[in-house]
Amino acid sequence: MKYMTNLCHLYTNGCTSLECMPPDLGQLTSLQTLTYFVTGSSPDCSTIRELQDLNLGGELELSSLEYVTEEHAKASNLGNKEKLTHLSLKWSDHTTDVLDQHRSVLDALKPHAMLEFLGISSYGGTGFPTWMTSLTFLQHLTRLHLDGCTMCEEFPQFGQFKALEVLVLKRLNKLQSLCSHNSSAAFPALKNLSLENLDAFERWAATEGEELTFPILDNVVIVNCPKLTTLPEAPKLKVIVLAEDKAQLSLLVLRSNYMPYLSGLYLSVSDTEATPTPKLDQDHEVSLSVMNLTGCSFLFSSSLLQSAGGVWKWFGQLVRLHISSFDTLIYWPAEEFRSLVSLHSMIIRNCSKLIGPAQVKGCRTRGRDQFLPNLTALYIAGCGNLTELFVLPLSLTTLNIYECCNLEFILGQDDRELESLQHFDTIASLEHCDGLASENMPEQSPSPRINPFPCLMSLTIHYCNKIRSVRT
């Protein structure tokens, strides 16, 4: 490739199987874009010294930095590449190098001060170099990603980056807080915050009792931060994503001042022992339009004799609902869902113990216009005990059913007025439904019988081996 002297742009994004770069890459003096550079251990590979005279701009990712020496890192001359806007620096996860070398190499890779994005992955040093901890450097940084810096004990004051809009922190085993001083003026521009797999993270500011406010934060992701017991002070928050073992932060959200103003809520809780949510103080509806729930057993009761609390009555404006992996969900939650009058799309996935309404005396919903009246799309998958669906609304346009191995009926057995699926213009896909006889396929000829799905446009049934008919 060294003979391609007129080459200006080399895009190698995502080529993560590359073991090294071709030799003498530095001879491509016309090169302006090089998105991914991997350092190899072979003498036939280019070292990052080859970047010295290249006037690169835009994005640059340097990978396998465990093979880089401090001398070569300095020779790469990153500090003078002022057209670079995005810089990613990556070591391998399981490097056996002397970890002090990581710090000296990172120090030598100091970029220019106008950098907009900085990502550092699998860095093995115990602290960061001074150009990262300086209170005056990188003041134009808008995005910062740190991932897998498991040995690090000293971190930058993240609030010092006044232009920072996105902060992503993952697998920082010894990080305990975001700020240790001057937290009152921190994060004036931060909009998106993601904290994932932070085993030691326990508070927002280092000093207990000190307040840390995120004035314009609108999206927060907190995944597996077991010691964190409080939510951020963020008056503009719109979207919350939580994944945790115990329903600690999830219950805090439901009781928080955020609820009336949220537009998206994504909760994943592994604990199946959590009790149903008690009735909460708020009586008014919230503006929530999208909700994704995984394993949140506290939101549903496992008994017909008790309700999961008054939380569901808030969600009258909910448009999309996705629930999955509810091992405690046994009975169809008709009462909880009765208030979801604006719901357009619902996904139910991997609720292995969920049974159909006909199997529980008194659980049938009467009146086809009383339950989810505006639902247009329903997707059900992996519900192995489900034998029958609830009474489907007339508004339904899309119905997808996958891997419900005990499902026998789409419509109720006792709904004699809904005797046929004939006379509907539908794209039907029926696969791996061994119990379905060909004579029971829906016909396209007119019928005087009542049409149960007047709006249905797409019907998909796959891997439902016990389904007998698409009629009742």
Side-chain angles (χ1 to χ4, degrees), residues 14-124:
C15 300
T16 54
S17 293
L18 280 178
E19 297 180 354
C20 69
M21 302 303 289
D24 300 320
L25 202 65
Q27 296 185 25
L28 303 181
T29 54
S30 298
L31 204 60
Q32 303 168 31
T33 302
L34 177 60
T35 56
Y36 180 69
F37 184 104
V38 56
T39 303
S41 57
S42 168
D44 295 329
C45 301
S46 279
T47 68
I48 62 172
R49 178 194 290 272
E50 299 286 342
L51 303 179
Q52 182 172 13
D53 297 322
L54 302 183
N55 188 22
L56 298 177
E59 301 180 12
L60 174 62
E61 178 180 331
L62 301 179
S63 183
S64 298
L65 289 175
E66 63 273 15
Y67 298 124
V68 174
T69 65
E70 181 181 3
E71 177 187 359
H72 286 177
K74 287 181 179 179
S76 67
N77 200 21
L78 288 187
N80 290 328
K81 301 186 190 307
E82 297 182 353
K83 293 182 180 180
L84 279 181
T85 58
H86 293 60
L87 178 63
S88 296
L89 305 174
K90 294 187 177 183
W91 285 259
S92 295
D93 276 329
H94 305 292
T95 178
T96 57
D97 286 1
V98 179
L99 297 183
D100 288 343
Q101 182 178 334
H102 284 219
R103 183 163 185 164
S104 61
V105 169
L106 183 58
D107 194 11
L109 291 173
K110 177 181 177 180
H112 64 92
M114 303 296 287
L115 198 69
E116 298 175 12
F117 170 91
L118 176 63
I120 298 177
S121 179
S122 299
Y123 169 68

Side-chain angles (χ1 to χ4, degrees), residues 37 39-40 103 179 256-257 274 332 364:
F37 184 104
T39 303
R103 183 163 185 164
C179 294
S256 71
N257 295 329
W332 187 260
R364 296 298 302 273

Side-chain angles (χ1 to χ4, degrees), residues 321-436:
L321 174 63
H322 181 174
I323 63 176
S324 63
S325 302
F326 278 80
D327 291 335
T328 57
L329 182 60
I330 299 175
Y331 306 108
W332 187 260
E335 290 304 315
E336 285 87 347
F337 287 172
R338 192 174 298 280
S339 60
L340 307 184
V341 294
S342 297
L343 197 68
H344 285 186
S345 173
M346 181 162 66
I347 297 174
I348 303 171
R349 188 195 301 268
N350 298 332
C351 296
S352 59
K353 296 182 181 179
L354 180 64
I355 62 179
Q359 296 166 270
V360 184
K361 185 178 180 181
C363 189
R364 296 298 302 273
T365 303
R366 297 190 178 276
R368 303 187 75 239
D369 57 347
Q370 297 178 8
F371 188 66
L372 304 179
N374 292 300
L375 190 69
T376 59
L378 176 62
Y379 179 105
I380 300 179
C383 298
N385 278 326
L386 193 66
T387 61
E388 178 188 358
L389 302 185
F390 64 94
V391 179
L392 299 172
L394 298 169
S395 56
L396 205 64
T397 62
T398 302
L399 176 59
N400 295 333
I401 306 173
Y402 294 88
E403 297 180 346
C404 296
C405 56
N406 283 301
L407 184 68
E408 298 179 11
F409 303 98
I410 296 178
L411 300 175
Q413 303 176 63
D414 301 324
D415 289 333
R416 298 304 179 190
E417 76 277 10
L418 304 178
E419 291 185 350
S420 175
L421 288 181
Q422 299 181 50
H423 192 44
F424 67 105
D425 296 326
T426 301
I427 300 173
S429 174
L430 308 176
E431 293 184 4
H432 301 281
C433 301
D434 297 338
L436 182 63

Side-chain angles (χ1 to χ4, degrees), residues 250-251 253-256 259 265 267 275-286 288 291 293 296-301 307-318 335-340:
S250 298
L251 289 174
V253 169
L254 295 176
R255 297 186 176 97
S256 71
M259 281 302 297
L265 181 60
L267 303 180
T275 57
T277 307
K279 290 186 178 180
L280 305 180
D281 296 334
Q282 293 179 229
D283 291 325
H284 56 275
E285 282 190 355
V286 300
L288 197 67
M291 186 158 63
L293 305 172
C296 300
S297 59
F298 56 90
L299 283 171
F300 293 103
S301 171
S307 170
V311 64
W312 286 96
K313 66 183 179 181
W314 297 351
F315 304 137
Q317 298 185 41
L318 198 65
E335 290 304 315
E336 285 87 347
F337 287 172
R338 192 174 298 280
S339 60
L340 307 184

